[in-house]
Amino acid sequence: MNNSIIPETLKKVVEEISQLPGYGEKSAQRLAVNILNIPRGEALKLIKTFMEMLEKIHPCRQCGIYTEEELCPVCRDENRDKTIICVVEESFDAFAIERTGKYNGLYHVIGGRLSPLEEITPEDLNIESLLKRVEENPVKEVILATNPTVEGEATASYIHNLLKNKKIIVSRIGYGLPFGAVLENADDFTLSKALEHKTPI
Amino acid sequence: MNNSIIPETLKKVVEEISQLPGYGEKSAQRLAVNILNIPRGEALKLIKTFMEMLEKIHPCRQCGIYTEEELCPVCRDENRDKTIICVVEESFDAFAIERTGKYNGLYHVIGGRLSPLEEITPEDLNIESLLKRVEENPVKEVILATNPTVEGEATASYIHNLLKNKKIIVSRIGYGLPFGAVLENADDFTLSKALEHKTPI
């Protein structure tokens, strides 16, 4: 008459999923049970695809976008404007900006945002490599496209401080995004507008 | 400048996760990227645990609770009252009831709820096996503990109709649960009260 009726491997799965950002015990249980509920063949296929993803995908050597190649398609593309770097928190933010078709520069994925609460400090983000890229390449502009949240703003501000004495334009992605929103979830039109209205800091 | 920069295996993972109930494209992306973001060793461990779960866990031959044995710990337990069956939608509902320590009967997991919208009909649920258990065993009471939602109520009502001519008590789990709530998420006290106040239908 206690938790001991929960199978050990199920407890283990729930515990491991709970560690993922955004997951608690209940949502972890839900995911585990959803996967147990689908036909076993489909579940195994899903797990196999996950495994394949983990084997093949890694960050682009230059910009950090998740890719199956050494360099991502953006960094490989000769037609992209190599003088502009758009700084985003996650690969999916870059994918969202690509969907707008309005941006022709390069990216830099910092891999998160500064967060005192989650103990994420500048050292945990790919900021050093951004500074190195700016120094070693003919970069004219850096667009800070971290999320328009408190933490995203703080991160943009931190990077701006590091870049402001270099002879480049530093812009913040234009509002049009409601404050508190998550960039990845923005519709394409809003995201296009935000890029169009980027303002120098 | 389009979706083509998203790696193929990532697209595949997102597409497969999107098929799970409760997941859309965005939440699937979030899960995929969360798994890519954690250190590769931990991610592989998570995938391995998932695989182990799928290999070991299956529904109990008698009641349908997820277990690693042929019969779940409840069905194996000689001290449980075999004259009462508590009908729940999912294994996790049974786990939640076990946490209260207030129930000493058996369970029957029907594996979901009737839902015309999702095209879930009685044939998709383990209802036939419930009727068989009631007929072949000295069952005196069936407690219908489907969720107190519109669909859970309809499911309870459907099962009640099938059982009402048999010489057994059919009860509905007692309210105390706010209507529209999900049983799995109820706190232990509310769930205890609900069991205590079960009422014959």
Side-chain angles (χ1 to χ4, degrees):
Chain A
M1 306 234 279
N2 51 47
N3 274 345
S4 69
I5 81 155
I6 304 180
E8 282 308 316
T9 47
L10 186 49
K11 274 189 214 163
K12 220 167 113 188
V13 162
V14 169
E15 197 188 303
E16 290 185 22
I17 305 171
S18 306
Q19 311 294 319
L20 294 176
Y23 277 82
E25 199 195 332
K26 296 286 180 185
S27 47
Q29 279 187 1
R30 190 100 312 270
L31 177 61
V33 92
N34 277 341
I35 289 179
L36 281 170
N37 281 349
I38 58 177
R40 211 43 57 104
E42 279 176 45
L44 287 169
K45 195 172 145 236
L46 175 60
I47 298 303
K48 226 186 105 205
T49 312
F50 262 118
M51 191 65 102
E52 206 186 323
M53 175 184 86
L54 289 173
E55 275 162 12
K56 289 193 180 165
I57 296 181
H58 51 261
C60 166
R61 182 172 52 80
Q62 177 167 265
C63 75
I65 284 179
Y66 281 130
T67 176
E68 295 178 3
E69 315 288 332
E70 198 191 342
L71 283 177
C72 75
V74 175
C75 288
R76 283 201 313 270
D77 187 344
E78 287 299 323
N79 297 317
R80 307 286 297 216
D81 183 346
K82 295 184 191 318
T83 65
I84 311 180
I85 294 177
C86 179
V87 174
V88 290
E89 296 183 13
E90 302 280 2
S91 290
F92 274 105
D93 299 327
F95 299 155
I97 291 174
E98 283 300 290
R99 273 202 306 272
T100 71
K102 299 278 183 178
Y103 180 67
N104 196 37
L106 303 181
Y107 292 96
H108 194 86
V109 178
I110 54 171
R113 62 222 66 83
L114 295 177
S115 169
L117 272 177
E118 295 171 61
E119 295 182 7
I120 300 172
T121 64
E123 289 69 42
D124 299 314
L125 303 177
N126 304 320
I127 293 176
E128 200 64 47
S129 57
L130 171 67
L131 300 181
K132 202 158 168 271
R133 271 182 86 184
V134 168
E135 266 163 34
E136 295 176 357
N137 293 283
V139 176
K140 290 183 188 155
E141 179 173 5
V142 169
I143 306 173
L144 300 172
T146 50
N147 284 320
T149 56
V150 174
E151 289 162 345
E153 286 296 333
T155 310
S157 166
Y158 178 85
I159 298 174
H160 176 222
N161 273 328
L162 296 174
L163 293 174
K164 68 182 171 191
N165 291 328
K166 305 197 191 290
K167 279 180 183 136
I168 53 169
I169 302 167
V170 182
S171 325
R172 180 81 175 104
I173 193 170
Y175 286 99
L177 295 172
F179 196 82
V182 178
L183 201 142
E184 181 189 325
N185 296 337
D187 61 283
D188 295 1
F189 180 74
T190 307
L191 211 47
S192 295
K193 278 289 160 216
L195 274 167
E196 203 176 293
H197 295 150
K198 70 190 160 71
T199 47
I201 309 190
Chain B
M1 305 233 281
N2 52 47
N3 274 345
S4 68
I5 80 155
I6 304 180
E8 282 308 316
T9 48
L10 186 50
K11 273 188 213 163
K12 220 167 115 188
V13 162
V14 169
E15 197 188 303
E16 290 185 22
I17 305 171
S18 306
Q19 311 294 318
L20 294 176
Y23 278 81
E25 200 195 331
K26 295 287 180 186
S27 46
Q29 278 187 1
R30 189 98 317 266
L31 177 61
V33 93
N34 277 341
I35 290 179
L36 281 170
N37 280 350
I38 58 178
R40 211 42 58 105
E42 278 177 44
L44 287 169
K45 194 171 146 237
L46 175 60
I47 298 303
K48 226 186 105 204
T49 312
F50 261 118
M51 191 65 102
E52 205 186 323
M53 174 184 87
L54 289 174
E55 274 163 13
K56 289 194 180 166
I57 295 181
H58 50 260
C60 166
R61 182 172 52 79
Q62 178 167 264
C63 76
I65 283 179
Y66 282 129
T67 176
E68 294 178 5
E69 315 289 330
E70 198 190 343
L71 283 177
C72 75
V74 175
C75 288
R76 283 202 311 270
D77 187 344
E78 286 299 322
N79 297 317
R80 306 288 296 216
D81 183 346
K82 294 185 193 315
T83 66
I84 311 180
I85 294 176
C86 179
V87 174
V88 290
E89 295 181 14
E90 300 280 2
S91 290
F92 275 106
D93 299 327
F95 300 156
I97 291 175
E98 284 299 291
R99 272 202 306 270
T100 70
K102 299 278 184 179
Y103 180 67
N104 196 37
L106 303 181
Y107 291 96
H108 194 86
V109 178
I110 55 172
R113 63 222 67 83
L114 296 176
S115 168
L117 272 176
E118 295 171 63
E119 294 183 6
I120 300 173
T121 65
E123 290 69 43
D124 298 315
L125 303 176
N126 304 320
I127 293 176
E128 200 64 48
S129 57
L130 171 67
L131 300 180
K132 202 157 169 271
R133 271 181 86 184
V134 169
E135 265 163 34
E136 295 176 357
N137 294 282
V139 176
K140 289 184 187 155
E141 180 173 4
V142 170
I143 305 172
L144 300 171
T146 48
N147 285 321
T149 56
V150 174
E151 289 162 345
E153 286 295 333
T155 310
S157 165
Y158 178 85
I159 298 174
H160 176 221
N161 274 328
L162 295 175
L163 293 174
K164 70 180 171 191
N165 291 327
K166 305 197 191 290
K167 282 183 180 131
I168 54 168
I169 301 166
V170 182
S171 325
R172 181 79 175 104
I173 193 169
Y175 286 100
L177 296 171
F179 196 82
V182 178
L183 202 141
E184 183 189 325
N185 295 338
D187 61 283
D188 295 0
F189 179 76
T190 308
L191 211 46
S192 295
K193 278 290 159 217
L195 274 167
E196 204 176 292
H197 295 150
K198 70 190 159 73
T199 47
I201 308 189

